[in-house]
Amino acid sequence: MLTSPRVATVLTGLTLALGTTAFVVPAAHADIPACTQMAAQAGADATGTVTAACHRGVNGDLQGCVNGLTAAGVPGGAANGACRLAAHEPR
């Protein structure tokens, strides 16, 4: 009969330990290289203009990022996707 409370205690401790790691793990970091690579695959040169636009996406200015990438020659859909990659936003 003593085994059951021990098992319950171990399982409770394990659940608490694993559950708190979800709060401790930091959020995903911004991904400028993925943004610039996607822009390059869409036809833009990986220049300072593209990198600057991707930095805007990292800082949460998605519209400014998209505008910068489209000005650099990236089609609208690809620019939107690249900027979302920069900010790690779900699609």
Side-chain angles (χ1 to χ4, degrees), residues 5-82:
R6 287 182 187 163
V7 171
T9 302
V10 169
L11 289 177
T12 301
L14 184 61
T15 302
L16 289 173
L18 293 176
T20 56
T21 58
F23 295 112
V24 176
V25 175
H29 296 288
D31 198 351
I32 293 172
C35 176
T36 57
Q37 183 179 19
M38 184 177 226
Q41 288 175 353
D45 293 328
T47 62
T49 305
V50 171
T51 304
C54 289
H55 274 286
R56 285 187 216 122
V58 167
N59 293 323
D61 182 10
L62 292 179
Q63 189 60 48
C65 177
V66 171
N67 291 341
L69 290 181
T70 53
V74 179
N80 190 21

